[in-house]
Amino acid sequence: MYIKDIAQFEGKEIELKGWVANRRDSKGLVFINLRDGSGLVQCIADQSKLTEDEFNCAGKLGLESSIEINGLVVKDERQIGGFEVQVSALKVLQFTEDYPIAKKEHGIDFLMDKRHLWLRSQRQWAIMKIRNTITFAIHEFFQKEGFIQMDAPIFTGNACEGTSNLFETDFYGDPAYLSQSGQLYGEAMAMAFGKIYTFGPTFRAEKSKTRRHLSEFWMIEPEIAFCDIHQNMDIIESFLQYVIKKVLADCQHELNLIDRDQSVLKTSLEPFPRLTYDEAVAIIKGEKDVNGQNSIKSLEDELEQVNQQYQKMEAEIAEREAKLAIPGMKKGEINFNQNKVATLKQELKDLEEAQRNIPQWIASAKNFEYGNDLGGSDETVITRLFDKPIMVYDWPHEVKAFYLKRNPESPRFARGVDLLAPEGYGEIVGGGERETDEQKLREKIIEHDLPMEAFEWYLDLRKYGTVPHAGFGLGLERLVTWLCKLKHVRESIPFPRMYGRLLP
RNA sequence: UCCUUGAUAGCUCAGCUGGUUAGAGCGAGUGACUGUUAAUCACUAGGUCCCUGGUUCGAGCCCAGGUCAGGGAGCCA
């Protein structure tokens, strides 16, 4: 018996096992919000309906105490799930004292230290449920489309995209690296099965402290034989839209719990704009407008708005603090105003961040140098102008990986594609059409200063029946972060591993 | 690696120009209340002001170095 199915048991006696998510008491009554992993329900312990011992126990339950109850399911519109349980019997498995995560705001460092407990909170629960739906939808899409799932090795002897950000380990006395991509192995499997995808962990030793980097993350890498860059973009689009549709269909409750505005998810079911690198650069530099919006202008407008909002908030804080200074205010009112001031100050800090960041972004966009890769801020700048993901393709070949094919009509471009998520999220997919010519690959390997002997097996793929093929890599956590509109990627995975964070 | 902000009670924070005994809310504990939703109300306990050194009659506050964390850049999914 799980709380999520409670509606089927109206008027019936049930048994529930779970944890105390909240408790309030009143004379003769104890209200327990019970959490069982599937949902949340309020249980009422009434002194007149329980033994003295049971009622005393109910009153002593600390947050996250584990209990078993029996009770009657009653319809009550006021409650979250529309039902409550009138307790007829209560058994305590453990009284919990001093549960560290209190019913109030906490700082991120504290919460990350308590991640193993934080996962029990409603918001984190909802995010992990959505992550699960996304994972399932990904498998479902590829399986339906006839892709074979493969597991790429995690220990690798060669670096596929440079060596600076690899985790080195000891493999029976030889150096080995934790995989930063399964792609080269995926290409080999695609030559055996036609269409494959990997779904596995990936490790990058980047000393990054930004909202979109993890040291360990999960990547999905499809690879398709007989596929060019345009067909690849078709697949990226239908794949992502499949996942988004699934989340919209199956996760309404969770999306509401985390207050996700769904309008952008819905417009993302329309075709994704496809821009060449040249077009994207023109937009970023403000030389070309999109839907009547100019990148530089919109940033300047936003900065102006931020400044105005900042002044408004400062005024409100001053006003409330002045009120608080006058004696005679009721306790409840004091609390309310103090909480309000605290949240306003928090928002003020966010605005200050924006005031520091936006001018940097404007400068970076204005001074963007043609031929460079897009930086994080450039991605933010361009994606803010669209209400759906965009795909940018045909990149200057110097900035992209060695295995990408050149555009035959314009060889200074490599046929790579990045998918940039809207709402400022930026790159969540990187991929492209692969180089098919052995000689050109050898030249590229030398150019990138990579050890040729480590790639001989990969070059075999071009020696024995080379065919046009393409694929891409999707960062699962970045997708979860965007779909849930999280501020930081660290909340998208149960136990994030990042620079400075190995525990819990 | 660089830029930037910060570290004060279990948690979130305030602490004025360096000045006597360190402040609030939440949480915890005790009590009151039969319909609460982060319940409310009263009372109680709770401090190595991150570390090391310096300036000063006097440092939570100033200076130097370090540690840790937040945000951003580079790099990337």
Side-chain angles (χ1 to χ4, degrees):
Chain A
M1 172 67 215
Y2 288 99
I3 292 169
K4 69 177 166 60
D5 303 319
I6 203 156
Q8 301 163 27
F9 293 86
E10 188 182 350
K12 291 187 182 138
E13 192 77 13
I14 59 164
E15 184 186 56
L16 290 175
K17 303 174 183 188
W19 296 265
V20 175
N22 197 3
R23 193 205 81 216
R24 296 169 295 281
D25 20 322
S26 190
K27 189 178 186 184
L29 283 179
V30 177
F31 301 92
I32 299 164
N33 281 8
L34 189 73
R35 180 180 72 71
D36 76 344
S38 82
L40 206 59
V41 71
Q42 173 166 281
C43 304
I44 292 109
D46 188 328
Q47 190 166 23
S48 64
K49 291 179 185 155
L50 291 171
T51 66
E52 194 184 334
D53 190 38
E54 280 175 325
F55 186 74
N56 286 341
C57 284
K60 279 194 292 181
L61 290 169
L63 286 190
E64 293 302 319
S65 294
S66 41
I67 58 173
E68 292 177 17
I69 60 150
N70 291 73
L72 182 68
V73 179
V74 176
K75 202 170 175 66
D76 187 335
E77 297 297 343
R78 289 170 299 182
Q79 302 311 324
I80 308 162
F83 293 91
E84 64 178 23
V85 176
Q86 294 177 349
V87 181
S88 55
L90 172 83
K91 188 179 154 196
V92 178
L93 300 179
Q94 188 193 31
F95 282 110
T96 298
E97 283 169 38
D98 297 329
Y99 184 67
I101 299 181
K103 295 179 283 184
K104 63 163 306 204
E105 300 268 335
H106 292 283
I108 189 65
D109 191 32
F110 176 79
L111 289 171
M112 288 308 303
D113 282 341
K114 302 278 181 276
R115 182 61 173 166
H116 50 295
L117 303 175
W118 188 23
L119 289 166
R120 301 180 185 193
S121 71
Q122 276 220 84
R123 185 178 160 80
Q124 300 307 310
W125 177 87
I127 293 167
M128 290 306 136
K129 291 270 285 185
I130 294 170
R131 180 186 166 107
N132 178 62
T133 298
I134 291 170
T135 299
F136 188 77
I138 288 168
H139 281 294
E140 200 173 57
F141 173 85
F142 287 119
Q143 293 294 331
K144 276 187 181 167
E145 295 285 326
F147 286 65
I148 299 290
Q149 197 267 331
M150 69 162 281
D151 299 309
I154 290 169
F155 285 124
T156 59
N158 53 320
C160 85
E161 299 177 22
T163 51
S164 59
N165 49 21
L166 288 167
F167 285 106
E168 194 176 321
T169 63
D170 176 272
F171 191 77
Y172 307 115
D174 284 328
Y177 306 99
L178 297 184
S179 173
Q180 61 179 346
S181 165
Q183 189 206 306
L184 303 188
Y185 301 97
E187 287 188 45
M189 282 289 276
M191 298 303 118
F193 294 87
K195 298 195 279 191
I196 64 91
Y197 69 106
T198 71
F199 195 137
T202 307
F203 307 89
R204 305 251 169 116
E206 292 156 356
K207 288 186 177 172
S208 298
K209 295 186 88 160
T210 78
R211 59 184 68 199
R212 51 177 175 272
H213 284 90
L214 291 169
S215 302
E216 177 184 282
F217 63 96
W218 288 73
M219 191 150 69
I220 294 91
E221 293 180 286
E223 194 69 34
I224 307 105
F226 305 103
C227 179
D228 68 17
I229 177 123
H230 299 286
Q231 293 165 316
N232 194 36
M233 288 193 274
D234 293 343
I235 295 168
I236 293 172
E237 182 176 299
S238 55
F239 161 62
L240 269 180
Q241 291 183 338
Y242 185 90
V243 174
I244 295 168
K245 252 184 231 163
K246 190 87 179 170
V247 168
L248 283 171
D250 294 357
C251 298
Q252 279 304 313
H253 176 60
E254 289 79 5
L255 291 169
N256 289 331
L257 267 179
I258 62 175
D259 267 325
R260 176 40 158 145
D261 167 28
Q262 296 179 27
S263 54
V264 172
L265 300 183
K266 284 170 187 157
T267 51
S268 294
L269 299 175
E270 298 160 11
F272 301 164
R274 301 179 187 188
L275 313 170
T276 63
Y277 172 84
D278 282 5
E279 290 170 315
V281 169
I283 291 168
I284 289 167
K285 289 174 79 84
E287 291 161 1
K288 192 179 159 189
D289 291 1
V290 180
N291 308 324
Q293 276 187 293
N294 180 278
S295 68
I296 305 290
K297 178 89 181 19
S298 85
L299 275 174
E300 285 166 352
D301 288 351
E302 170 141 356
L303 184 60
E304 182 54 33
Q305 259 180 26
V306 166
N307 286 337
Q308 280 176 15
Q309 214 183 336
Y310 189 88
Q311 284 173 6
K312 246 170 57 189
M313 279 196 184
E314 266 189 328
E316 192 179 341
I317 288 172
E319 191 187 320
R320 287 188 192 275
E321 279 181 338
K323 262 199 214 163
L324 282 165
I326 301 167
M329 190 185 275
K330 275 189 187 161
K331 187 110 186 228
E333 209 175 338
I334 291 174
N335 278 344
F336 177 80
N337 277 296
Q338 279 179 340
N339 284 339
K340 195 78 192 173
V341 167
T343 44
L344 283 172
K345 283 190 176 173
Q346 198 55 49
E347 282 168 41
L348 217 56
K349 276 187 183 169
D350 289 350
L351 289 178
E352 278 168 16
E353 290 283 356
Q355 284 176 326
R356 278 196 292 270
N357 290 336
I358 293 175
Q360 283 178 25
W361 295 348
I362 293 174
S364 151
K366 273 186 182 162
N367 304 330
F368 186 87
E369 218 169 295
Y370 182 89
N372 285 350
D373 207 347
L374 300 192
S377 58
D378 307 312
E379 289 178 3
T380 308
V381 169
I382 191 169
T383 57
R384 285 159 26 96
L385 302 175
F386 294 87
D387 60 355
K388 53 180 74 72
I390 58 172
M391 294 193 268
V392 181
Y393 67 101
D394 271 5
W395 295 74
H397 72 90
E398 299 89 349
V399 302
K400 285 289 171 186
F402 77 91
Y403 47 72
L404 285 174
K405 187 183 175 70
R406 302 286 189 91
N407 180 343
E409 280 140 40
S410 173
R412 62 200 180 94
F413 295 116
R415 308 231 80 172
V417 55
D418 282 359
L419 179 132
L420 309 180
E423 302 175 289
Y425 281 92
E427 186 172 0
I428 59 174
V429 169
E433 188 173 338
R434 319 306 185 189
E435 182 54 70
T436 49
D437 183 81
E438 184 189 342
Q439 262 323 305
K440 284 184 184 158
L441 269 177
R442 284 192 188 277
E443 285 161 22
K444 269 288 185 183
I445 289 169
I446 292 165
E447 200 181 302
H448 281 77
D449 210 16
L450 296 167
M452 189 66 75
E453 60 284 359
F455 292 93
E456 287 298 340
W457 69 267
Y458 180 68
L459 291 160
D460 272 1
L461 304 177
R462 273 59 176 179
K463 220 180 280 179
Y464 307 110
T466 190
V467 301
H469 62 292
F472 60 93
L474 166 85
L476 176 64
E477 286 73 20
R478 285 194 180 172
L479 179 60
V480 175
T481 302
W482 169 48
L483 293 186
C484 294
K485 205 170 179 180
L486 305 179
K487 273 199 183 151
H488 199 296
V489 70
R490 67 189 153 215
E491 280 184 56
S492 69
I493 184 168
F495 294 96
R497 292 290 173 258
M498 50 206 289
Y499 186 55
R501 173 66 61 185
L502 193 55
L503 283 171

